[in-house]
Amino acid sequence: MPKTITVLTETVSYSNRAFDVVDQNIELPSGLRVVHSTVLHRGAVVILPIANDGKLIAIRQYRHSIKKTLLEFPAGTLSEGEEPIACAKREISEETGYGAKKWVDLGTMYPAPGFCNEIQHTFVARDLYPNTLEGDPDEVIEVAPLSVAEVEAAIASGELCDCKSISIFYKAKMRGLF
Amino acid sequence: MPKTITVLTETVSYSNRAFDVVDQNIELPSGLRVVHSTVLHRGAVVILPIANDGKLIAIRQYRHSIKKTLLEFPAGTLSEGEEPIACAKREISEETGYGAKKWVDLGTMYPAPGFCNEIQHTFVARDLYPNTLEGDPDEVIEVAPLSVAEVEAAIASGELCDCKSISIFYKAKMRGLF
């Protein structure tokens, strides 16, 4: 897998400042022809910042798409042409008020591969220091430093229910980074 | 949080068989007015099937949105008006060829809360038995039974890089379900 999939036609049917939607007529290996629609996304970074006292720097962010405030780790969308590590250094400062002297690349992951091409570049950030950048004025964020045990309890209780945040936490835990 | 967010106008700008996109003009607590666009999704289920020999039933599925075959746990979108557990019982049979006599509800999670309202209902399925339902003809899937150690190795190596699958695995591991 995959055998050959042929794109017969494609149309960008929708665009906004964050994503486009492309509709494709495709022919599957079986010969079946179907319409496949993809949300085209620039990609993003997800960051697990570990403070010098061992706490993990989470945030509480209001997410208008689901009308809830979620407990998450910091993240953000790549600007046009931006390298993932540069985006991560910008986002950690905008969202948490910290910079980091050490970065560990934890690889990439996909949040919604069924209908969206977003790729998330994941990093652990260490040796933190105060470094506040002004954040996006349309983001509503509170910084929430939590112990490892508190993060685990929040996942177990369902309070931490954001897939990218659960995933980066577990990837870092497996690597023995906290 | 959140303080009051006021929706001034909203327009459904795009629709396909899987999702819509709604554009809203909203006023933030600060008084700032911005456009917020949300992918409207019917919600989904994610299933971690545990076979009677202890193997976890993963699948390899071609994802046209990212032009890659991913290692994942079975999942699927809710049909109109479908209860999550009914969807889970349908999807496990369609995607893996198994039914399950015991189901454990692991709660809900959000794969892409920045721009999509999708909620994922997570279940562990046990006491499996053969029960094949014909799957969607447009899905290209191979069943991949893996030991717990093989799943951990696949997450560590980056081969298993699907957020919903990493998340449900860790949630089930924390609950001591394997």
Side-chain angles (χ1 to χ4, degrees), chain B residues 97-118:
Chain B
Y98 287 105
K101 293 182 193 154
K102 283 179 70 176
W103 291 85
V104 181
D105 186 340
L106 286 184
T108 56
M109 57 189 192
Y110 295 96
F115 64 90
C116 178
N117 75 342
E118 180 178 358

Side-chain angles (χ1 to χ4, degrees), chain B residues 17 38 55 65 82 101-103 108 117 130 139 148:
Chain B
R17 71 189 169 118
T38 300
K55 291 232 174 152
S65 292
E82 190 176 36
K101 293 182 193 154
K102 283 179 70 176
W103 291 85
T108 56
N117 75 342
E139 291 186 333
V148 170

